[in-house]
Amino acid sequence: IQISPPLVKADKFRQIPIKLALYAQDKIEFSGMIANLGVRLDYTDRRGTYYTDLFSNYYTVDSIGYVPTEKIKSFLYVSPRIGIAHPISTKSKFFFNYGHFYDEPAVSYLYNKRERYGGYYDRIENSNLKPQRTIAYELGFEQQLGEEYLVHIAGFYRNITNQIKWVDYYSDAGNKISSYTNDNYADTRGLEATFEKKYGEFFLGNISFDYLITSSGNFGKAVLYEDVLKTPAMSSSTQYTPG
């Protein structure tokens, strides 16, 4: 509870979701190459309902039970993982990695409401959000120098979808509620190089260099009106290279 004006309270909640995961992996050697092939299955049942009418005028402590709801969808997703190494000599190799990775939204996005002074909600959860998905690629080279040093050079690309976006909804009666969607995305590509001293009696460590370019943006609108004619064309896309 935020005591200082304006009063803000985060509701308590109790949820018991079901989460299951299964992972299988096999190592295969053929024609001088080594491949680690794997797949992960994830199942999530959040066991509850989510609000389907974001323009409802019943988002108050006393009347929220009148807002239409539907059962939260369960999610089953498959994540393939591939790692291939091709030794060139006893001290050097090329390698390639590929994989899908899923992350559940934060609990605050899935379950938490925010109440303002006067008994009305200005922020509600979206318990039906999809998990964030990352598809990652990596291609690189490693060279051992002597018995103590290792050089690692790799290029990578990561495509991230279903990121969380904040959206405001305005009803015809003038009420506003904020919630979340899966409309953000990002792409990251870059190069990393590492020089590492792996063994030694007195000195160990590494020096690394990373260069990356990230582009990000979103689909759809950041503000929605029940009267579609009032909805502005709002979307954004940015691209930056950290210094």
Side-chain angles (χ1 to χ4, degrees), residues 150-167:
L150 178 70
V151 175
H152 170 100
I153 301 174
F156 60 86
Y157 172 77
R158 302 184 187 101
N159 174 251
I160 307 171
T161 55
N162 293 333
Q163 288 184 315
I164 307 300
K165 184 176 85 170
W166 179 280
V167 181

Side-chain angles (χ1 to χ4, degrees), residues 214-242:
T214 297
S215 59
S216 61
N218 62 75
F219 300 100
K221 309 292 192 299
V223 176
L224 293 172
Y225 285 81
E226 189 172 6
D227 182 353
V228 295
L229 297 179
K230 295 181 180 179
T231 299
M234 295 182 64
S235 62
S236 65
S237 180
T238 61
Q239 185 168 344
Y240 63 92
T241 303

